[in-house]
Amino acid sequence: MSENGAVNRSSSPYPHPKPPGLPSLQGVIFASVLGSVLVLAAAILFALLPGALSEAADFRAARPCSEVAVPEKGDCLAEWPATVVSTETGRSNKAVINWVTLDGGAAEPPFRVRMRGDGPVWEKLSPGDRVAVLSWRDVVWAVEAGELRQDTTARPGRESTVQLAIGLTLLVVGTVFLRGAGWLHRRRATRATDTPTAQVVVVMAATLLASGIAAGAATVTDTVWLVLLVAAAGCATVWAATALLLRGLARRRTA
């Protein structure tokens, strides 16, 4: 009876239950796919970046139209008067949007521009005020009221900054997901089930910190090589400190 019972148990058609805490195959696949998608999105943003950077460089190199003998294609910085018709505040995805409708006179029909933030110009504008409109390549990039100036959201250079910051953030987070997928795969292969919560929290915090350093570098300077240098140095420092911290936690756990 005991021998037959042993044979029946060993030949049971039911699969062996997965040990509790063992990473699932779905988790490995999810981390791999998500990491690949994020890295691919970052690569697409980086591929489109040269155009935005070129436009930003052209804008910084542009001279006022008063200093150009023969203005061509609107490449100079134009300035012309306008009258405030109305101001309007709206919301988009919980963000406050400030609009100003301006009338440029007979040569320019009324148009609306979106101001960047709650700046000093926006705070004092009211219908009937006379302002100076600053444009480049038919794009209004700032509005002046007396000695005060405030940029619009169409100012050249902002797009490249946002694009670079998002690309670096996606690259950092995507790389972490791909690295995590490899780590989960190895744990499945070795059937390791002990995953301390502190280890996951440390990696998540390090990812947020590294992403913040990369994105912050993109917003501080327009020099791409300096942004990449600061981002690489920051990420290397963060991950080195993370590795040392995880080793310390592992030694304390096994002590």
Side-chain angles (χ1 to χ4, degrees):
M1 290 293 292
S2 61
E3 292 181 357
N4 292 335
V7 172
N8 290 337
R9 284 193 298 269
S10 62
S11 59
S12 173
Y14 299 102
H16 294 286
K18 185 186 72 170
L22 184 68
S24 65
L25 181 60
Q26 290 82 359
V28 178
I29 295 175
F30 174 78
S32 301
V33 172
L34 182 57
S36 300
V37 170
L38 293 178
V39 171
L40 179 60
I44 293 175
L45 288 177
F46 291 146
L48 299 175
L49 190 60
L53 291 174
S54 177
E55 182 185 52
D58 291 344
F59 174 73
R60 289 193 299 268
R63 295 185 298 166
C65 292
S66 59
E67 300 177 3
V68 180
V70 183
E72 295 182 359
K73 300 180 182 179
D75 284 338
C76 60
L77 301 175
E79 179 179 342
W80 37 281
T83 303
V84 177
V85 176
S86 63
T87 60
E88 179 185 352
T89 299
R91 288 185 176 275
S92 176
N93 296 329
K94 298 183 180 180
V96 178
I97 303 175
N98 298 324
W99 295 96
V100 179
T101 301
L102 300 170
D103 185 0
E108 187 74 28
F111 59 96
R112 192 169 70 157
V113 295
R114 178 178 173 180
M115 306 301 293
R116 185 176 179 181
D118 298 321
V121 173
W122 164 259
E123 293 174 351
K124 65 176 298 185
L125 287 183
S126 59
D129 289 347
R130 297 288 291 176
V131 296
V133 176
L134 307 181
S135 63
W136 178 73
R137 293 182 180 176
D138 297 327
V139 174
V140 176
W141 62 273
V143 176
E144 285 186 348
E147 299 296 327
L148 302 176
R149 174 187 294 181
Q150 183 176 346
D151 293 343
T152 69
T153 56
R155 178 188 174 97
R158 184 172 180 268
E159 179 182 353
S160 60
T161 298
V162 173
Q163 196 168 322
L164 181 58
I166 294 177
L168 290 173
T169 301
L170 292 177
L171 180 61
V172 171
V173 177
T175 303
V176 171
F177 269 99
L178 290 177
R179 181 68 180 85
W183 178 73
L184 291 174
H185 178 70
R186 287 194 300 273
R187 292 182 67 82
R188 278 182 56 83
T190 58
R191 304 187 71 80
T193 59
D194 55 333
T195 306
T197 303
Q199 186 174 3
V200 178
V201 173
V202 168
V203 173
M204 292 178 60
T207 303
L208 292 176
L209 181 58
S211 301
I213 292 175
T219 60
V220 170
T221 177
D222 294 331
T223 307
V224 177
W225 69 265
L226 183 58
V227 172
L228 297 179
L229 179 62
V230 172
C235 290
T237 303
V238 169
W239 294 125
T242 302
L244 293 176
L245 181 58
L246 291 178
R247 289 180 182 177
L249 292 175
R251 285 196 296 267
R252 180 180 301 179
R253 198 168 64 249
T254 57

